[in-house]
Amino acid sequence: MTLQAIRPGHFPWFRYEGYSFSLGLTHGRDAWLSGHSASEHDPESGRIVVRGGMTDQARTAYAKIATILEAAGLSFADVTRVVENVTVPGLDAYPEAAAVRAEIFGEHRPAVSTVIVERLLRPAAFIEVEVHASPGGPVASAAGVAEAPDGAVFLPTLLPIDERGDVVGEGDFVGQYAYCLDKADRLLREVGLSLDAAVTTYDYSTPATRDVYRRTHGVRKERLGGAGVYPGAGGILMSRLHHPGVLVALEVTASRHPLEAVNPGWSRYDTLTYTPGVKAGGMLWMSGFAALDMETQRVLHPGDVVAQAEVTYDAILRVLEAAGVGPEQLLSTIEFVCPDGLGAYRGVADVRKRLLRDPWPASTGAICAGLLRPEFLLEVFPAAVLP
């Protein structure tokens, strides 16, 4: 089954041809959309601009999504998962975007993830929205968990906040991490699964916790990989998270299908609690990748985001090859770039055009405060489909 780019006949916000990403892709009857903000072409200035506050921006982003879904023969009633990337400057106004979402979806209940990002690539943007949709929407949903017809199970953002709304384990990063994994396990058990079914665990923390991050290894080893396969993983740093006192937020995806590890032969993963790629049904879920020498563990090309992108996408292509597919099967990429890499970040598009293939993956780009290795300027979270 091949990927097809979604091409609306009328998309008034900007000309979408010529980029190294698509507005969205279909895989069979499913649709995966890129992140969409309120960016639009201003004919007077000839530039792409972002207008309005949080409410106006959320409405524009969701209007774009409605147009793209319609071109794929879908609607908001078919959405299984929503990811809202909210900037630190826009965080205090985020309830406005949540109100727009509630108005749009009504009684429909997709899984909702809220990812706090330092800012978006358009400096005036407060929010960028991604969606996944399948005809009829989730086949089951409970407690914010939504299951897609293909067996993917999406959890809402996991925060160390209890039922009373209190932050758990204030000041204890490892304890909060464990709490979030345990919460994920409880939610998965409500739909007949457990953490053994996790295919990815992406975590967001702050630069202040970088020195203690390694201590999560024991927590992950105790709770993950029970079925013999550790999930893909990635870690991103932001200056602020969802609530004061929250030191970590987790995004977990699981699958109903049996899991199979994919590794091009990198021995470093023998002792880690995550896997380069995980096959589950018709999907290949992957870890986040950056410019790391897999043999020496050295960071390659410090200070050069374009050269780091070459290494990063080469690693992704090697995982695809190990799974028996090529770049044309790459479904989505989420790129996190550090502030020091922004000056040359446009050059990453040239790397993508050279290494990836049409139809270009659905993509989202955001700016983070940092990455777990300070020399990294770019980390990419990819996913692919299998024939």
Side-chain angles (χ1 to χ4, degrees), residues 1-312:
M1 190 180 298
T2 59
L3 295 171
Q4 300 287 333
I6 304 172
R7 296 186 172 95
H10 180 60
F11 195 74
W13 296 278
F14 58 83
R15 292 183 57 135
Y16 56 83
E17 301 89 351
Y19 291 98
S20 60
F21 63 89
S22 65
L23 295 180
L25 295 174
T26 57
H27 179 234
R29 300 182 66 195
D30 289 3
W32 296 74
L33 272 59
S34 291
H36 293 282
S37 69
S39 62
E40 59 183 327
H41 182 260
D42 176 28
E44 291 187 9
S45 66
R47 303 179 66 181
I48 297 290
V49 300
V50 176
R51 299 185 175 96
M54 180 64 83
T55 295
D56 290 336
Q57 290 192 24
R59 290 194 185 283
T60 300
Y62 276 107
K64 289 181 178 179
I65 288 167
T67 299
I68 299 165
L69 288 174
E70 183 179 11
L74 299 166
S75 72
F76 286 125
D78 301 307
V79 171
T80 58
R81 186 193 190 203
V82 175
V83 180
E84 293 179 337
N85 298 282
V86 182
T87 67
V88 169
L91 185 55
D92 290 342
Y94 182 50
E96 297 177 27
V100 171
R101 178 181 6 102
E103 176 187 320
I104 288 170
F105 285 105
E107 296 301 313
H108 184 59
R109 291 289 182 266
V112 177
S113 292
T114 304
V115 177
I116 308 304
V117 300
E118 210 62 21
R119 68 176 179 86
L120 294 165
L121 298 177
R122 301 290 174 186
F126 294 135
I127 187 168
E128 185 163 311
V129 184
E130 311 159 40
V131 304
H132 169 268
S134 299
V139 296
S141 60
V145 178
E147 180 178 345
D150 65 359
V153 180
F154 302 111
L155 275 64
T157 300
L158 301 157
L159 300 174
I161 296 177
D162 63 20
E163 294 78 6
R164 299 185 302 274
D166 297 329
V167 174
V168 174
E170 287 214 44
D172 180 3
F173 173 71
V174 177
Q176 289 192 4
Y177 201 105
Y179 183 89
C180 290
L181 285 178
D182 291 342
K183 181 185 284 189
D185 189 60
R186 290 195 300 272
L187 290 175
L188 287 169
R189 289 184 186 278
E190 291 189 22
V191 295
L193 295 171
S194 72
L195 266 181
D196 291 346
V199 291
T200 56
T201 58
Y202 296 145
D203 58 65
Y204 300 85
S205 54
T206 68
T209 61
R210 185 186 268 142
D211 290 343
V212 297
Y213 186 86
R214 288 181 180 272
R215 298 179 191 172
T216 62
H217 175 85
V219 168
R220 292 177 60 86
K221 192 168 186 178
E222 289 174 359
R223 291 164 171 80
L224 297 167
V229 178
Y230 283 111
I236 306 295
L237 306 178
M238 302 297 177
S239 66
R240 178 183 172 190
L241 295 176
H242 303 64
H243 298 286
V246 168
L247 302 178
V248 65
L250 259 66
E251 301 292 340
V252 175
T253 300
S255 177
R256 291 271 178 203
H257 297 284
L259 310 186
E260 178 185 342
V262 176
N263 187 336
W266 295 322
S267 59
R268 70 181 298 266
Y269 288 91
D270 294 345
T271 59
L272 298 176
T273 57
Y274 54 97
T275 302
V278 179
K279 285 185 180 181
M283 288 291 299
L284 175 65
W285 306 92
M286 288 183 264
S287 283
F289 290 95
L292 184 72
D293 185 307
M294 295 296 182
E295 301 302 325
T296 67
Q297 316 301 308
R298 291 188 304 108
V299 175
L300 300 175
H301 309 297
D304 188 337
V305 70
V306 176
Q308 288 198 358
E310 292 264 7
V311 176
T312 299

